[in-house]
Amino acid sequence: MKKVYANATEALDGILRDGMLIAAGGFGLCGIPELLLQAIKESGVKDLTFASNNAGVDDFGIGILLQTRQVKKMISSYVGENAEFMRQYLSGELELEFTPQGTLAERMRAGGAGIPGFYTKTGVGTVIGEGKEHKQFNGETYILEEGIFADLAIVKAWKADDTGNLVFRKTARNFNVPAATCGKICVAEVEEIVPRGSLDPDCIHLPGIYVHRVIQGQHEKRIEQRTTRKKEEA
């Protein structure tokens, strides 16, 4: 089965359609599938729902799709540094399902494991729990959260082989692993594709069974918030 494609456009060919639910890896600007997001923008598909921790910034990450009004709804835990995200939400142009960060990761993981729902204490007694089923366990109240079953998952990894085994680098593992597992189809972009058998099995973070298509490309290394301090005087 062919998994390696020449570029993002080819890797998404025949998959994209209006109204999709897409799970996207990334945390801030780290581990963002930027090449696949650009290809989605260029495809012109619209009315998309994204399950992603955040939406990048105005001109990077999912932010580029907010600019073109291709996103209908975000399932996120953080609006953050994206002014356009905030503006569209506050003006009623964009639907937003706020989800606590750990709950969002678990909703993705649950979907990947075929679990339709789970109970958590996070959000009990807040607006997060409004309208959701409440249940008592050992005298404590929990709310029911549903697993995320995405039509498509897009992720960014460091290395892959031609079977789709993925290795992430440090913080870039973030939401990429649970996002990848909850998609009916998973497309990964990586910095390097290595020969089959060259990856140490103990270092593989996501088995290729979850990954359907892979591309290699050049990626921009952005820093969302640069923090520095003055050099101490001698």
Side-chain angles (χ1 to χ4, degrees):
M1 175 181 176
K2 174 187 175 182
K3 290 192 176 183
V4 178
Y5 287 72
N7 53 57
T9 300
E10 287 190 15
L12 293 172
D13 183 46
I15 298 175
L16 298 177
R17 57 176 172 77
D18 293 347
M20 294 186 80
L21 169 56
I22 301 176
F27 188 93
L29 300 184
C30 182
I32 289 177
E34 60 198 75
L35 304 179
L36 294 166
L37 288 168
Q38 182 63 36
I40 291 172
K41 175 184 176 181
E42 294 170 358
S43 75
V45 291
K46 58 185 185 299
D47 296 328
L48 302 173
T49 296
F50 270 90
S52 174
N53 180 66
N54 56 287
V57 291
D58 289 340
D59 61 346
F60 195 65
I62 299 173
I64 63 175
L65 297 172
L66 292 174
Q67 289 179 334
T68 54
R69 305 296 194 278
Q70 290 171 262
V71 181
K72 177 183 69 175
K73 178 180 179 180
M74 291 293 304
I75 304 172
S76 298
S77 71
Y78 182 59
V79 175
E81 307 301 322
N82 194 318
E84 182 61 15
F85 187 175
M86 180 174 63
R87 189 199 67 76
Q88 288 188 27
Y89 168 57
L90 293 176
S91 66
E93 300 172 36
L94 177 71
E95 296 178 50
L96 176 58
E97 184 180 331
F98 264 130
T99 304
Q101 199 167 85
T103 301
L104 179 59
E106 182 62 12
R107 288 182 66 189
M108 291 181 177
R109 191 205 68 81
I115 299 170
F118 59 92
Y119 289 95
T120 175
K121 290 179 68 176
T122 305
V124 173
T126 74
V127 293
I128 298 297
E130 292 180 1
K132 295 177 181 176
E133 179 186 329
H134 289 60
K135 192 174 181 67
Q136 295 281 322
F137 291 93
N138 298 318
E140 298 284 348
T141 302
Y142 293 74
I143 56 175
L144 178 64
E145 294 282 0
E146 295 185 4
I148 292 175
F149 296 84
D151 300 305
L152 169 66
I154 55 173
V155 298
K156 158 74 168 57
W158 181 36
K159 292 183 179 181
D161 61 20
D162 67 331
T163 69
N165 292 316
L166 300 184
V167 177
F168 298 92
R169 189 168 186 271
K170 299 182 178 179
T171 308
R173 285 176 69 176
N174 51 60
F175 275 84
N176 274 300
V177 173
T181 64
C182 75
K184 294 177 183 176
I185 299 175
C186 176
V187 183
E189 61 182 69
V190 301
E191 297 180 29
E192 182 182 8
I193 297 176
V194 299
R196 187 181 305 188
S198 63
L199 295 177
D200 182 345
D202 286 336
C203 294
I204 292 171
H205 299 129
L206 185 71
I209 190 68
Y210 290 105
V211 181
H212 301 84
R213 300 182 181 186
V214 179
I215 63 164
Q216 178 177 312
Q218 297 294 317
H219 298 86
E220 184 177 351
K221 303 292 185 181
R222 284 207 188 190
I223 299 175
E224 186 170 0
Q225 290 287 355
R226 185 182 297 275
T227 303
T228 60
R229 63 182 179 182
K230 294 182 178 180
K231 185 177 180 181
E232 296 180 1
E233 294 183 3

